[in-house]
Amino acid sequence: MMQSTWDCIISCNIWIDKGHMQGSFFVDFSSAFNTIIPAILQNKLHQLSVPMSICQWITSFLMDRQQLVRQGKLTSSTCTISTGAPQGCVLSPLFFSLYTNDCIAKDPSVKLLKFADDATVIGLIRDDDESAYRREVEQLAVWCSQNNLELNTLKTVEMIVDFRRSTPTLTPLTILNSTVAAVESFMYLGTTISQDLKWETHIDSTVKKAQQRLYFLHQLRGLLVDPLPSLQELYTSRVRKKAGKITLDPTHPAHYLFELLPSGQRFRALSTRTVRHRNRFFPQSIHLMNS
């Protein structure tokens, strides 16, 4: 899973385990790469201390691009484009990331996760006070209008995670005079995150994809000499490998969770209040790293 997906899952588990509620606002941009304004991007690059020669080179690369459409033997007239980044260009996601670099959450109780043209606002709602979360969503909409980005209100959704017995009825979010749809699960960077923080939906989707590929495994079964590892062995090895990478990466948002005991030989077990949290990735990974 992408690191921003882990960020989202980490936030869910930590906040919900403390008895709080979380709001997740999954943003969908309309033709994100096509809306980049080269002049605005150049100013942002200059603020990031990028040399002016490189800023001008990037602006020149994005300006006055020639484009046409060819269908068989027919070719349209040439059109000159000075907005957006070329589709399929390896630099386009980088340009968009730099373009949105200054779009950040100001309140410490709210996280803004970004990966290329995917963005998610995750807000901690404590004591039913969702003002900070809603304020950050509104500021995101304002930032988009100031930077020529358009929110696709039909695909932008909200998911509330709350395990308290008494849950209040929240007023739906409204963006650009459109009510944001509330969902129980959402596919985020290839991972289905459910409102109940269970994995059944994601597992069912993964199993379905695996079953579609079983034909090739059946074809290769006669060529395999060594027995295939069990699912438990694969799970254990993958979890240990992922946890090992996190412990070696101080920039990972979950790096602080892997705290060595004074002996320096084992990691400190995470304190958990619920079985749901105890069975999640990080408590389990620390247990496997210590075993």
Side-chain angles (χ1 to χ4, degrees):
M1 286 187 286
M2 299 296 183
Q3 180 163 318
S4 53
T5 306
W6 283 116
D7 294 346
C8 185
I9 296 174
I10 292 169
S11 300
C12 288
N13 280 277
I14 293 177
W15 287 347
I16 299 304
D17 192 53
K18 293 181 179 180
H20 302 314
M21 181 168 54
Q22 175 188 289
S24 300
F25 179 70
F26 298 97
V27 179
D28 185 88
F29 295 110
S30 297
S31 302
F33 291 173
N34 294 332
T35 57
I36 296 176
I37 303 298
I40 297 180
L41 176 60
Q42 178 171 315
N43 292 334
K44 294 176 183 288
L45 294 175
H46 182 66
Q47 295 173 4
L48 293 172
S49 301
V50 176
M52 182 54 65
S53 59
I54 297 180
C55 293
Q56 294 174 344
W57 178 87
I58 293 175
T59 302
S60 176
F61 173 71
L62 296 177
M63 296 285 289
D64 300 325
R65 304 193 317 274
Q66 302 296 313
Q67 182 171 302
L68 55 83
V69 177
R70 179 179 291 112
Q71 175 64 38
K73 297 181 179 180
L74 301 178
T75 303
S76 69
S77 57
T78 301
C79 178
T80 301
I81 300 176
S82 295
T83 303
Q87 294 292 327
C89 176
V90 294
L91 290 176
S92 295
L94 174 61
F95 289 157
F96 189 83
S97 296
L98 294 171
Y99 193 79
T100 59
N101 180 70
D102 60 335
C103 181
I104 57 176
K106 298 179 177 59
D107 193 284
S109 67
V110 180
K111 296 178 181 290
L112 176 56
L113 310 180
K114 295 178 291 184
F115 184 83
D117 58 339
D118 287 292
T120 304
V121 178
I122 298 180
L124 168 63
I125 302 176
R126 184 188 291 112
D127 299 328
D128 299 334
D129 182 8
E130 51 180 331
S131 58
Y133 166 61
R134 288 180 173 270
R135 185 166 54 249
E136 292 293 342
V137 171
E138 294 173 357
Q139 290 176 355
L140 173 62
V142 172
W143 183 93
C144 289
S145 64
Q146 294 173 344
N147 289 270
N148 198 46
L149 289 179
E150 181 181 354
L151 291 175
N152 186 343
T153 56
L154 296 179
K155 294 184 178 180
T156 296
V157 299
E158 181 188 32
M159 184 177 72
I160 300 296
V161 180
D162 187 4
F163 287 105
R164 296 175 302 173
R165 293 184 178 180
S166 177
T167 59
T169 302
L170 301 179
T171 304
L173 285 174
T174 302
I175 298 293
L176 303 177
N177 297 323
S178 297
T179 300
V180 177
V183 297
E184 296 182 356
S185 63
F186 185 77
M187 176 70 76
Y188 181 63
L189 297 178
T191 302
T192 301
I193 302 177
S194 300
Q195 193 175 40
D196 56 9
L197 296 187
K198 295 182 179 180
W199 290 99
E200 280 81 355
T201 304
H202 179 71
I203 291 173
D204 290 343
S205 175
T206 303
V207 169
K208 183 177 180 180
K209 291 180 181 179
Q211 289 174 338
Q212 295 172 348
R213 294 164 174 80
L214 279 177
Y215 170 77
F216 300 102
L217 292 178
H218 284 301
Q219 294 295 102
L220 294 172
R221 184 173 55 180
L223 304 177
L224 298 175
V225 178
D226 298 328
L228 295 175
S230 65
L231 289 177
Q232 183 60 42
E233 291 173 335
L234 288 173
Y235 167 79
T236 301
S237 63
R238 296 294 177 85
V239 169
R240 283 176 174 165
K241 183 178 180 180
K242 180 63 179 180
K245 289 183 178 180
I246 296 176
T247 61
L248 298 176
D249 183 6
T251 64
H252 194 282
H255 177 77
Y256 76 97
L257 295 175
F258 292 83
E259 179 186 359
L260 284 172
L261 293 171
S263 64
Q265 302 298 320
R266 296 169 61 85
F267 292 97
R268 189 181 304 277
L270 291 180
S271 175
T272 59
R273 297 175 58 248
T274 62
V275 175
R276 179 178 59 254
H277 189 209
R278 190 179 306 122
N279 291 334
R280 297 304 181 189
F281 171 79
F282 290 102
Q284 287 292 311
S285 63
I286 292 177
H287 172 72
L288 290 175
M289 292 286 282
N290 287 335
S291 61

